[in-house]
Each structure stands twice: as C-alpha cells, then as structure tokens.
Amino acid sequence: GQNIDQPTEMTATEGAIVQINCTYQTSGFNGLFWYQQHAGEAPTFLSYNVLDGLEEKGRFSSFLSRSKGYSYLLLKELQMKDSASYLCAVRDDAYSGAGSYQLTFGKGTKLSVIP
Amino acid sequence: GAVVSQHPSWVICKSGTSVKIECRSLDFQATTMFWYRQFPKQSLMLMATSNEGSKATYEQGVEKDKFLINHASLTLSTLTVTSAHPEDSSFYICSARVLGELNNEQFFGPGTRLTVL
C-alpha cells in the first residue's frame, strides 16, 4: 500500500521562504514528484527526485532522502501567486505495461501567502 | 512543454445520462494516459491507467462498466461516465506520459468539471 503525508495548510509571508514536508511509506519507490495546483485547475509539474539530494530550479528546490522516506519542497522569495496547493506524489515501481508507472498523490498542502 | 487538452472543460447533465470526456495529447505521442478524479478539498485519486490499443487497468473500487475508457490512438483517450448520478459529480483530470521520456513525467490536462443534477 501507499501512504503519503503532508501538512494540510501553511501560511507564509510574501518574500519569505517556506518548506513543505512530505513523508511517504510505499510498497515500492521509483521517484517523487511535486506539483502545484491552483483552485479549480489541474496540477502543473514542479520537480522530480529519484536520487537523494537537492534539486534546484529557480525559486523552487526539492530534496529527497530515500532512506528516511522524506522529501521537502522549498519555495524562496514567496510571491502572492504562489498561493496554491502543493501535491507530493510518489511513483511506485509496479510496472503497469508499456513502460508506465502510477503516481499516488498526497492530500496536498494548501499554502497561503500573505502580504 | 507537452500539452494535454480535455474536452469539455465543464458539463452539466441529468441523472441517468452518459457523458464522454476526451483527453488529447496535442504535440506528442502518449502510450499511456491516466484518469484521475478529484472531489472538493480532496487529493487526486487515480481511477485507471489507459494503454493505447489495450484494455484499461482500473484501480480498486472503480467500476469498469460505469467508467468506460477507450484509448484508440497515441493521442486520444476517452472516459465515458455511464448512467451518471449526482455522486459522480467531480473534477476529472487526465494525464499523459511522453513516449520515450526518461523520467516518466506525466503532463496533466486542464480537467473537466462534471455536475450531475
């Protein structure tokens, strides 16, 4: 089975730094994704980690520790438009055919950026 | 980046009718498309995995006779909600995996909001 935990809500100030944590317990592991989802819209891809360490991409960074089943998404220089839900998703290693795997999503962390 | 479209973006239908939702990869070929459902304030829940030219694989608890999936080509998958009921009202999102893409990233469509009266 898959179990993915992340905080339900967070609030941070414009210009600040915020870290959103994600812990997972899965039967298999083949990569962890972070997505951003604004209300009423589909998710958009932010980052992907499959090896331990930090991946940096502009204002966004993502970290993974496979031994601890832990990841975080770091957002720097927060802007009002960063107010959204952030979804942690784990890809398992159950091969579903045609080179495809499945993602299991956490419930998302709703981030509110305040002035 | 890869673009995935969905049609319609929203639909309102009467209870008992069927609704078809299309998912298209516009500028790439997708061997696999995924269908998700998201209820308000809930996370995405995978409904089924659709491979081109073969039967879809449904997740536990998803009725395959109610949610018909057809993946007729490398750029099109359809989800038909048959005999829809109010409890089927939800946000349906498809995603597609880029053929040959090393990291197996999935690109999401904009979603279809279904309301069953």
Side-chain angles (χ1 to χ4, degrees):
Chain A
Q2 318 283 49
N3 187 34
I4 301 174
D5 290 314
Q6 46 181 137
T8 305
E9 294 185 57
M10 297 182 73
T11 301
T13 306
E14 190 176 14
I17 299 173
V18 69
Q19 177 174 313
I20 302 174
N21 297 323
C22 172
T23 58
Y24 63 90
Q25 295 155 343
T26 57
S27 56
F29 180 84
N30 198 2
L32 186 143
F33 294 76
W34 283 95
Y35 289 87
Q36 180 190 62
Q37 186 178 26
H38 286 97
E41 299 180 10
T44 54
F45 171 80
L46 290 178
S47 69
Y48 166 75
N49 295 70
V50 68
L51 299 176
D52 290 349
L54 187 68
E55 295 280 344
E56 296 186 81
K57 198 175 180 181
R59 295 191 298 117
F60 295 75
S61 303
S62 58
F63 171 83
L64 175 67
S65 169
R66 288 172 297 171
S67 62
K68 296 181 179 178
Y70 167 69
S71 173
Y72 68 73
L73 178 70
L74 194 71
L75 292 78
K76 303 175 186 176
E77 300 170 17
L78 279 175
Q79 302 175 9
M80 299 300 290
K81 66 178 182 179
D82 296 330
S83 294
S85 286
Y86 291 85
L87 309 176
C88 170
V90 173
R91 187 175 69 204
D92 64 28
D93 58 6
Y95 190 79
S96 66
S100 299
Y101 301 85
Q102 294 175 359
L103 289 183
T104 301
F105 284 82
K107 293 190 174 180
T109 299
K110 184 177 179 182
L111 174 66
S112 298
V113 180
I114 57 176
Chain B
V3 178
V4 176
S5 71
Q6 276 184 245
H7 178 79
S9 56
W10 60 270
V11 58
I12 301 173
C13 68
K14 293 182 179 179
S15 184
T17 60
S18 294
V19 175
K20 179 186 282 189
I21 302 170
E22 293 186 348
C23 177
R24 292 181 186 273
S25 56
L26 296 185
D27 52 0
F28 66 98
Q29 292 182 324
T31 53
T32 304
M33 290 183 173
F34 300 86
W35 286 96
Y36 296 86
R37 181 167 52 181
Q38 186 175 34
F39 292 105
K41 299 185 179 180
Q42 299 289 319
S43 186
L44 293 174
M45 295 296 292
L46 179 66
M47 298 176 67
T49 303
S50 168
N51 292 310
E52 186 265 337
S54 63
K55 291 183 179 180
T57 302
Y58 290 82
E59 293 301 299
Q60 192 173 18
V62 178
E63 300 174 56
K64 62 180 181 181
D65 294 330
K66 180 173 179 60
F67 298 97
L68 302 178
I69 292 173
N70 185 297
H71 195 156
S73 74
L74 286 172
T75 59
L76 174 64
S77 176
T78 60
L79 167 68
T80 301
V81 183
T82 62
S83 187
H85 288 95
E87 57 265 31
D88 298 324
S89 298
S90 186
F91 193 43
Y92 292 85
I93 307 172
C94 74
S95 71
R97 189 187 79 86
V98 179
L99 179 64
E101 187 68 23
L102 293 179
N103 67 6
N104 282 295
E105 179 184 346
Q106 295 180 23
F107 294 90
F108 287 83
T112 297
R113 187 161 302 281
L114 170 64
T115 301
V116 184
L117 302 177

